[in-house]
Amino acid sequence: VRNMASSRYGTSCTKLLTTLTIFAIVLTSYIFALIVPDLLVVNVIGGALCVGVFASVGPGLVGLYLTRSEGASWKALMYALILFGISNAVAGIVFPDNYEGDMA
């Protein structure tokens, strides 16, 4: 905790940068709220990206770089996991419809 700035934001330059960043985030959210009338597609794309990142790319990279397994079969499985997750994410983005009418 030593050498920590006493104010919440630190220097005035940091405070300005923080304020501008918050403003940019709010403005971007506002613009997208005006452009996107239906959140269904946004939720589907967000879910597809979460599948790709949290269920495959993240664990695959951990398996490749943070575990002590060095075998070729292990690396092939991790690359297959990453490829499978990315392909599922792409499929979720390409086919955002739930196909409710096709279900019995």
Side-chain angles (χ1 to χ4, degrees):
V1 181
R2 272 191 242 157
N3 299 327
M4 189 170 163
S6 60
S7 70
R8 179 177 172 196
Y9 295 105
T11 65
S12 62
C13 182
T14 306
K15 184 175 182 179
L16 177 65
L17 183 63
T18 303
T19 304
L20 289 176
T21 303
I22 292 171
F23 180 76
I25 291 170
V26 171
L27 183 65
T28 304
S29 299
Y30 175 73
I31 290 171
F32 276 109
L34 291 175
I35 294 172
V36 179
D38 188 17
L39 291 180
L40 176 68
V41 176
V42 175
N43 285 333
V44 170
I45 291 173
L49 291 175
C50 286
V51 165
V53 173
F54 298 129
S56 68
V57 174
L61 291 176
V62 167
L64 283 172
Y65 296 109
L66 297 180
T67 59
R68 298 195 186 270
S69 298
E70 302 267 337
S73 62
W74 177 261
K75 288 185 179 187
L77 285 172
M78 292 299 107
Y79 283 119
L81 174 66
I82 292 171
L83 183 65
F84 181 71
I86 289 174
S87 64
N88 279 331
V90 169
I93 291 170
V94 171
F95 303 109
D97 192 19
N98 287 333
Y99 302 103
E100 294 174 13
D102 295 341
M103 294 185 194

